[in-house]
Amino acid sequence: MERRSFLKNAGVGLAAGTVAMPAIAQNAPTIRWRLASSFPKSLDTIYGGAEFMAKRVAEATGGKFQIQVFAGGEIVPGPAVFDAVKDNTVEMAHTASYYFFGKDPTYAFDCAIPFGMTNRQLDAWMRYGNGSTLMGELYGKSNIVPIPCGNTGAQMGGWFRKEVKTVADINGLKIRIGGFAGEVLSKLGAVPQQIPGGDIYPSLEKGTIDAAEWIGPYDDQKLGFNKVAKYYYYPGWWEGGPQLSVYVNSAKYAELPKEYKAILHMACADAHVDMMAKYDAKNPTALKQLVGSGTQLRQYPKVIMDAAYKAAMELYAETSKANPGFKKVYDDYAKFQADQNLWFGIAEGAYVSYMNTKR
């Protein structure tokens, strides 16, 4: 089913349900699901997105549809939530799809790829392009229904113990990063490290790694990276608008009453907007505080950006040749993004560039 058609029908169902809430509460079944998050409770933005969604579902069903959220590691480790939903160990998960790059790099399109789309551009592809259909086909092979549920917006480019000014400075650099971004940096000579979020701080502190990427000012400040790495780079060219997703076991999803399906989708959509708004509200203050405490803000030199872009395009061509499913999605994604970049460059890009001259 196309997302546009579903949302249209779901909107009618939700509107009717809002008016006749007592009828839903009386006649609908009581359902209790478990959701396994890939994130720790300390990250109130990302982990909190699932709690926000679950609260909305409960409110809209008069408490009849309850979703209990568990942090990463409480039921299964964060990286294991994909298989937990596929195998119906839990009914739901909340995660970043590029974590499952190793299963198939095509999953990254549901989250972010290097030099990929921004939050709003990805929303447009998912809702009014072919994104929802293509992702539905991909996840359907693993008994999963994916639903967008959050975005961080463009992320920062990571914390470095030393400055990087040329491509030669990347060579041999041990950096905490994974997925496509790690593959791209490998082409530039870096040594990607797969390290859980909770282990990044001590690894930077001990010098086990030279650099690490996480999310952005608000979350990075919470984890204290500014205390063990001096230089904070931008932009995070590998995450222009990483989307978070709710995964639902397809058999369990099929069992839901149509009203509950509609409410679930609308609750995820609400959480999606709320997460982005929360980051946009909190990141500016956190960034000013970081800089005020001594963090050295640095923009990636163009020579490094150009080298990374070239490496990324080479990687996409290589992956497309080896993986027909990836090629199918990438060709559609890239075509949509080209039009989006043209529009955003003319409209908001020019506007924001001008406004920044007035600071």
Side-chain angles (χ1 to χ4, degrees):
M1 180 186 293
E2 289 190 355
R3 183 174 178 82
R4 292 187 293 275
S5 175
F6 177 84
L7 287 173
K8 181 179 179 181
N9 294 334
V12 172
L14 184 59
T18 302
V19 173
M21 187 61 68
I24 282 185
Q26 291 170 8
N27 301 325
T30 297
I31 295 176
R32 290 183 174 85
W33 280 5
R34 297 186 302 169
L35 181 152
S37 174
S38 284
F39 311 109
K41 290 182 179 180
S42 59
L43 297 179
D44 60 309
T45 41
I46 290 187
Y47 174 82
E51 289 191 319
F52 183 96
M53 176 275 298
K55 180 181 178 183
R56 285 286 191 261
V57 168
E59 289 172 343
T61 59
K64 287 288 189 176
F65 188 2
Q66 295 280 345
I67 299 169
Q68 186 174 3
V69 179
F70 293 87
E74 289 186 337
I75 297 180
V76 295
V81 300
F82 183 103
D83 289 331
V85 174
K86 176 176 69 71
D87 298 335
N88 199 22
T89 302
V90 293
E91 293 84 1
M92 302 178 71
H94 187 232
T95 190
S97 299
Y98 58 19
Y99 290 162
F100 311 108
F101 172 89
K103 293 179 180 292
D104 187 331
T106 315
Y107 286 117
F109 290 108
D110 192 45
C111 185
I113 62 171
F115 300 101
M117 287 193 255
T118 64
N119 171 31
R120 283 178 55 196
Q121 292 172 343
L122 190 61
D123 282 350
W125 183 61
M126 294 296 291
R127 285 175 173 257
Y128 290 97
N130 296 318
S132 182
T133 298
L134 291 168
M135 290 299 99
E137 292 173 355
L138 174 66
Y139 281 94
K141 300 173 184 177
S142 297
N143 306 319
I144 293 173
V145 176
I147 308 173
C149 190
N151 200 301
T152 71
Q155 294 192 3
M156 292 293 283
W159 295 87
F160 289 72
R161 289 162 60 88
K162 297 180 180 180
E163 288 187 88
V164 289
K165 298 180 179 179
T166 68
V167 177
D169 292 332
I170 302 295
N171 189 43
L173 190 80
K174 293 181 296 224
I175 179 170
R176 184 271 179 194
I177 200 167
F180 264 128
E183 296 282 338
V184 171
L185 285 170
S186 289
K187 284 179 170 287
L188 303 185
V191 184
Q193 308 287 310
Q194 296 278 6
I195 299 174
D199 295 333
I200 297 175
Y201 183 98
S203 296
L204 274 173
E205 185 178 35
K206 296 174 184 176
T208 306
I209 56 176
D210 306 304
E213 62 81 31
W214 186 237
I215 297 177
Y218 180 67
D219 287 331
D220 291 4
Q221 185 184 42
K222 275 178 169 286
L223 296 180
F225 297 147
N226 57 305
K227 299 175 183 177
V228 289
K230 182 178 180 180
Y231 299 99
Y232 199 21
Y233 276 83
Y234 70 94
W237 46 263
W238 48 85
E239 296 186 86
Q243 175 177 275
L244 289 304
S245 293
V246 156
Y247 291 172
V248 186
N249 178 271
S250 57
K252 290 296 183 180
Y253 180 83
E255 293 174 0
L256 286 177
K258 64 180 182 179
E259 293 86 359
Y260 282 14
K261 289 178 183 176
I263 288 168
L264 176 61
H265 279 263
M266 294 303 172
C268 286
D270 195 11
H272 190 77
V273 173
D274 185 78
M275 184 185 294
M276 187 69 262
K278 190 172 185 179
Y279 272 119
D280 283 341
K282 292 185 176 294
N283 276 332
T285 299
L287 183 59
K288 287 190 286 186
Q289 290 172 344
L290 287 168
V291 172
S293 68
T295 293
Q296 298 295 303
L297 200 59
R298 295 286 187 272
Q299 184 172 2
Y300 276 118
K302 187 174 184 298
V303 64
I304 292 179
M305 294 287 288
D306 288 345
Y309 182 86
K310 181 176 181 291
M313 297 307 111
E314 291 173 354
L315 182 60
Y316 296 149
E318 295 164 3
T319 309
S320 292
K321 186 175 181 180
N323 185 329
F326 177 91
K327 183 179 187 304
K328 176 182 177 182
V329 178
Y330 178 69
D331 287 350
D332 186 88
Y333 181 103
K335 183 176 183 296
F336 194 92
Q337 183 186 13
D339 287 341
Q340 290 291 298
N341 286 345
L342 177 63
W343 164 239
F344 274 76
I346 289 172
E348 291 198 15
Y351 175 75
V352 172
S353 293
Y354 174 79
M355 292 304 295
N356 280 335
T357 68
K358 301 302 177 184
R359 290 187 299 175

